[in-house]
Amino acid sequence: MPQAWVFFTDLEPAVMFGLAGRMSSFDISGYGVYEAARQVRFDKRLDRDVHTLLVEAVQV
């Protein structure tokens, strides 16, 4: 199974989603929950918007 990223607005549903997937399939060897924020800024040198995904691991 390929790696997939799923985004939630709160941590609680993300943890429950991960636990449910882990308990329902032998193919899932582990999962991680991360807090993330997306930053968009205009870069004058590139003359375009630059999108950055900031990610931090959460201990569950």
Side-chain angles (χ1 to χ4, degrees):
M1 176 179 230
Q3 181 178 357
W5 287 66
V6 181
F7 293 90
F8 296 88
T9 56
D10 295 305
L11 289 177
E12 292 83 2
V15 171
M16 294 309 297
F17 180 84
L19 287 173
R22 178 86 168 98
M23 293 185 330
S24 69
S25 175
F26 293 107
D27 295 337
I28 299 174
S29 60
Y31 73 98
V33 176
Y34 302 88
E35 286 187 288
R38 189 177 84 172
Q39 177 188 53
V40 181
R41 64 177 177 79
F42 184 78
D43 187 300
K44 290 181 183 179
R45 184 177 58 83
L46 298 174
D47 193 35
R48 66 180 178 94
D49 285 338
V50 175
H51 297 254
T52 306
L53 181 62
L54 307 166
V55 179
E56 182 175 329
V58 174
Q59 298 293 325
V60 291

